[in-house]
Amino acid sequence: MDKKFTIILAAGHGTRMKSKLYKVLHPIAGKAMVDHVLTQVEQTNMDEIVTVVGHGAEKVEELLGDRTKYALQSEQLGTGHAVLQTEDLLGDEDGMTMIVSGDTPLFKASTFEELFDYHRQKGAAATILTANADDPFSYGRIIRNNVGVVSKIVEQKDATREEAEITEINTGVYCFDNKKLFAAIHQVKNDNAQGEYYLPDVIGIMKDQGEIVAAYQMKDFSESMGVNDRRALAVATDVMKKRINEMHMVNGVTIVDPSSTYIDCDVKIGSDTVIEPGVQLQGNTVIGGDVVVGAHSKIVDSTIGNRVVITSSTIEESIMHDDSNIGPNSHLRPKSELGEFVHVGNFCEVKNATLGARTKMGHLSYVGDATLGTDINIGCGVVFVNYDGINKHHSTVGNYSFVGSNANIVAPVTLEDHSYVAAGSTITNDVKEFEMGIARGRQVNKADYFKKLPVYEAAKKAEEENK
């Protein structure tokens, strides 16, 4: 079996993106474009992958790590020159080499496999991956002779009127006999307007030498989309979004409105889960089965158990165990964990805290830097006061405790099992088991005091008018 190699071209700066971020690092569905390409290439069982880097090389290498080897193109002298930079790593190898751009994030591994198989079957020195485009403008055209054999590639600016009407285009992906590739690369000239060495010129050189040049036409043109500016980035994102949503629906997930649902490529979702409109699922999120993710919720890098209900809320780097629920309009900030059957109601916030099984936190409360046991009731407007202006401090609440409405729990403090905090209290000391903590002034009623207030005259006037 022939060895297989891939060269990923990722050295261009991408000036049309008008961005400080290196072009191939722009994300689509939660993953950088070059990472999408590498991920699909990896699935084709390569013997070696080499990524050609230039601008932003350190950041690309930091992202991709040791999943690929690297070659540096310090000067941007064209795609042919970029391939030449890999000669020290691949030049002496026997086998097949695929060349693909790092800004084409929509290619699938299956298409790469089909290209290699076709190249092998044809015994070709070079095989061009082509596609049929409804609007071929700006693409190089594949020119075939009367028996369908590729004779040349013509760029848009050089095409005759008849050639410009051809809809079979060059996707920019090639498969070569590896040694013949490097032999031909050395013959490429830079006598063109840009003074660059172009990889497609290798095709003409091989044709002139009598080598077999084949072309494999892939089924789906959209896979070949290159991203050179923000408009193309948006179009590619939309294609990827549809692909991801369709995959989840095929696997048993109900997506009520796929057009308004945004799911990153690495998200995992169990069957019979319902995703309502406007939902964003990002990063390495894992969602169980029979979950309801309500409209306009956002979940980032979180783990959601089975039968969880999330209503219009934001979950970040947190865990919700089976049968818990949250919302509407609540927020789990990083390092939060809700146990089984925990209820977090509306307009609540939890940060770096654990709520044990069956604990309830109804509405308008904040729990931060705390460990709460099981079966606790947190009243309305409760605040865990965790910051002293310099440091954060931790609080602990034991099982079966009750924290009344509008209480302030000032950390560091421990409320033991079966403790009780009276409504409106500011707790600064520990509360022992079965004790009630109360910290507020006693109520005093002042007779006739209402008549001394400005509101009294207004009330009298309203009473007269309402008779």
Side-chain angles (χ1 to χ4, degrees), residues 3-119:
K3 284 186 173 183
K4 295 193 300 183
F5 312 102
T6 292
I7 299 170
I8 300 175
L9 303 181
H13 184 266
T15 54
R16 280 182 283 173
M17 296 296 286
K18 291 183 169 58
S19 175
K20 296 183 291 296
L21 184 64
Y22 184 38
K23 180 172 73 167
V24 298
L25 295 179
H26 278 265
I28 289 178
K31 182 179 286 188
M33 289 194 287
V34 70
D35 197 351
H36 278 292
V37 175
L38 177 58
T39 298
Q40 296 303 310
V41 169
E42 286 172 326
Q43 295 176 30
T44 62
N45 299 313
M46 290 293 115
D47 290 283
E48 195 80 85
I49 303 169
V50 181
T51 300
V52 182
V53 293
H55 294 289
E58 300 82 5
K59 291 184 178 179
V60 175
E61 292 180 26
E62 181 181 341
L63 173 69
L64 302 181
D66 59 4
R67 295 161 58 194
T68 171
K69 291 186 177 179
Y70 300 94
L72 178 64
Q73 186 187 23
S74 54
E75 285 187 277
Q76 309 304 295
L77 299 178
T79 50
H81 178 261
V83 172
L84 193 59
Q85 308 314 301
T86 70
E87 188 171 31
D88 288 346
L89 295 170
L90 298 177
D92 295 330
E93 296 283 354
D94 290 309
M96 302 178 291
T97 297
M98 180 175 69
I99 300 175
V100 59
S101 174
D103 62 2
T104 53
L106 299 175
F107 278 114
K108 297 179 182 177
S110 57
T111 299
F112 293 151
E113 289 281 17
E114 290 165 6
L115 175 62
F116 275 110
D117 290 344
Y118 189 85
H119 177 80

Side-chain angles (χ1 to χ4, degrees), residues 185-360:
I185 279 282
H186 283 284
Q187 301 174 52
V188 172
K189 308 296 184 185
N190 67 338
D191 48 356
N192 51 61
Q194 281 71 36
E196 295 185 351
Y197 300 88
Y198 293 131
L199 179 61
D201 290 353
V202 169
I203 300 299
I205 291 169
M206 288 184 170
K207 288 291 293 184
D208 291 343
Q209 294 173 347
E211 299 285 2
I212 297 173
V213 174
Y216 174 69
Q217 187 174 126
M218 58 191 248
K219 303 176 185 68
D220 183 2
F221 166 73
S222 70
E223 282 189 45
S224 67
M225 186 182 305
V227 176
N228 291 312
D229 57 29
R230 306 291 180 132
R231 295 167 299 178
L233 185 69
V235 174
T237 297
D238 190 56
V239 172
M240 185 68 77
K241 180 188 74 170
K242 291 175 181 175
R243 184 186 295 178
I244 292 168
N245 288 352
E246 287 173 4
M247 180 267 292
H248 287 296
M249 289 187 284
V250 167
N251 290 337
V253 177
T254 294
I255 300 179
V256 176
D257 181 11
S259 67
S260 67
T261 302
Y262 298 83
I263 303 175
D264 280 358
C265 57
D266 290 330
V267 172
K268 297 177 176 59
I269 309 174
S271 63
D272 289 316
T273 285
V274 176
I275 310 295
E276 293 185 350
V279 166
Q280 299 177 61
L281 305 178
Q282 299 180 351
N284 294 312
T285 291
V286 178
I287 297 176
D290 299 289
V291 172
V292 176
V293 183
H296 307 293
S297 293
K298 181 177 181 178
I299 306 175
V300 183
D301 291 324
S302 295
T303 300
I304 310 298
N306 300 311
R307 300 175 301 280
V308 170
V309 177
I310 298 166
T311 307
S312 302
S313 293
T314 298
I315 319 294
E316 300 176 274
E317 299 174 32
S318 294
I319 300 170
M320 293 183 67
H321 289 280
D322 294 352
D323 302 290
S324 58
N325 65 84
I326 187 171
N329 302 305
S330 286
H331 189 180
L332 295 187
R333 289 169 57 195
K335 298 181 181 178
S336 297
E337 183 171 355
L338 306 187
E340 294 181 355
F341 295 98
V342 165
H343 166 68
V344 174
N346 53 295
F347 297 101
C348 293
E349 182 176 332
V350 180
K351 188 272 295 185
N352 189 30
T354 300
L355 278 63
R358 298 173 300 281
T359 287
K360 291 178 171 53

Side-chain angles (χ1 to χ4, degrees), residues 395-454:
S395 293
T396 302
V397 182
N399 302 333
Y400 302 100
S401 295
F402 185 100
V403 181
S405 296
N406 275 8
N408 295 308
I409 310 301
V410 182
V413 71
T414 297
L415 313 181
E416 295 184 4
D417 293 351
H418 301 281
S419 59
Y420 193 103
V421 173
S425 297
T426 294
I427 301 299
T428 57
N429 296 313
D430 294 349
V431 180
K432 302 297 185 183
E433 187 172 14
F434 299 114
E435 288 183 345
M436 180 182 76
I438 182 168
R440 64 185 185 212
R442 289 187 175 276
Q443 181 173 330
V444 176
N445 296 342
K446 303 285 189 177
D448 291 326
Y449 198 85
F450 183 84
K451 296 178 181 179
K452 298 179 180 180
L453 302 173

Side-chain angles (χ1 to χ4, degrees), residues 376-394:
I376 296 168
N377 184 83
I378 304 296
C380 177
V382 170
V383 176
F384 279 67
V385 184
N386 55 340
Y387 184 51
D388 64 7
I390 298 175
N391 298 307
K392 298 289 181 70
H393 300 277
H394 193 85

